[in-house]
Amino acid sequence: VGDLIGRGIYGSVRRAVDRKTGDILAVKSILRTKVDENAIKDECDALQVLCGHHPNFPLKLMVYEDSPLLKSEVTHIVTDIYTGGTLIQAIAQRGLFDEGDWCVFANQLLGAVSFMHSLGVAHRDLKPDNIMLKEPWSPKPGAIPTLKIIDFGSATFCLAHETMKGHVGTKFFSAPEVLRRKPYTKKCDVWSVGVLLMVLLKGYP
């Protein structure tokens, strides 16, 4: 495990190298003392059903916990790493998206959410910071990078017409019913994608 990529309230993400293959990976380390165990389980289970089955989700997945001898109570989630930065960084670097690029990204995001929902997974925190570009954006015309949805820390499983409760996610991208703390469905992700796509066109939610 090597350089720190990011740090949050509940843990950190570091760069790592697979000693057998030489592949560069991302390791998300979660402090179990600060996060509900059911939330960690939902995150791991969601990634388990998504990884390797759709181009807009991580390809690889490994989950392990530190040895009890270390007394660290940390769960590590290992996925492939992406070099293109986040969507919010892409906006900062390139400015607002033109209609052609916007349509390609909209198609990727809506297709990914449709696939995710078909497997009963609700992400519940879709925003530019949780969408990464698989590779750097080439200046060549028509060279649109693949988007990758990350950070399933707020994810849960939900049947087609089942409702959820509780305010999770990020304020500016949350559906009205979530903010009002009313029952909501997986459609909350569709609202978030709509706001996200507006940001790509306008620069703000």
Side-chain angles (χ1 to χ4, degrees):
V1 178
D3 298 339
L4 180 70
I5 298 174
R7 186 182 298 278
I9 299 174
Y10 307 117
S12 62
V13 180
R14 291 183 177 274
R15 192 183 310 271
V17 178
D18 188 319
R19 293 178 180 176
K20 294 182 179 180
T21 65
D23 292 341
I24 300 176
L25 304 167
V27 181
K28 179 180 180 179
S29 301
I30 306 170
L31 295 171
R32 295 197 299 277
T33 55
K34 294 187 176 182
V35 182
D36 182 80
E37 287 191 12
N38 289 328
I40 297 176
K41 183 179 184 302
D42 280 347
E43 179 172 7
C44 294
D45 288 347
L47 285 167
Q48 189 70 51
V49 301
L50 293 169
C51 285
H53 300 294
H54 190 280
N56 298 118
F57 297 102
L59 177 63
K60 302 175 182 178
L61 174 68
M62 293 178 283
V63 179
Y64 66 95
E65 296 181 351
D66 283 345
S67 167
L69 297 176
L70 298 177
K71 298 181 180 180
S72 62
E73 297 191 39
V74 176
T75 295
H76 304 280
I77 301 175
V78 185
T79 62
D80 35 321
I81 199 168
Y82 313 116
T83 58
T86 65
L87 260 187
I88 199 70
Q89 291 170 329
I91 295 172
Q93 293 169 2
R94 297 178 64 94
L96 301 182
F97 287 27
D98 62 35
E99 185 176 340
D101 292 345
W102 184 90
C103 287
V104 174
F105 282 137
N107 186 60
Q108 289 191 42
L109 287 172
L110 291 171
V113 169
S114 177
F115 177 78
M116 179 174 65
H117 285 181
S118 73
L119 297 177
V121 177
H123 187 283
R124 302 198 296 177
D125 195 21
L126 291 171
K127 58 183 178 180
D129 290 312
N130 286 340
I131 311 292
M132 295 201 70
L133 280 61
K134 181 181 178 182
E135 59 278 320
W137 199 336
S138 171
K140 296 180 181 179
I144 306 297
T146 300
L147 299 181
K148 293 286 187 175
I149 296 177
I150 63 167
D151 196 349
F152 285 77
S154 297
T156 191
F157 285 83
C158 182
L159 298 177
H161 301 292
E162 187 178 0
T163 59
M164 297 169 278
K165 295 181 180 179
H167 181 212
V168 296
T170 303
K171 180 179 178 181
F172 289 119
F173 297 90
S174 294
E177 57 269 31
V178 177
L179 295 174
R180 294 170 184 162
R181 301 185 183 277
K182 293 184 177 181
Y184 57 92
T185 68
K186 290 181 293 187
K187 292 179 181 179
C188 65
D189 286 339
V190 179
W191 174 279
S192 299
V193 169
V195 178
L196 196 156
L197 292 174
M198 183 62 69
V199 170
L200 298 186
L201 285 177
K202 298 291 186 179
Y204 55 87

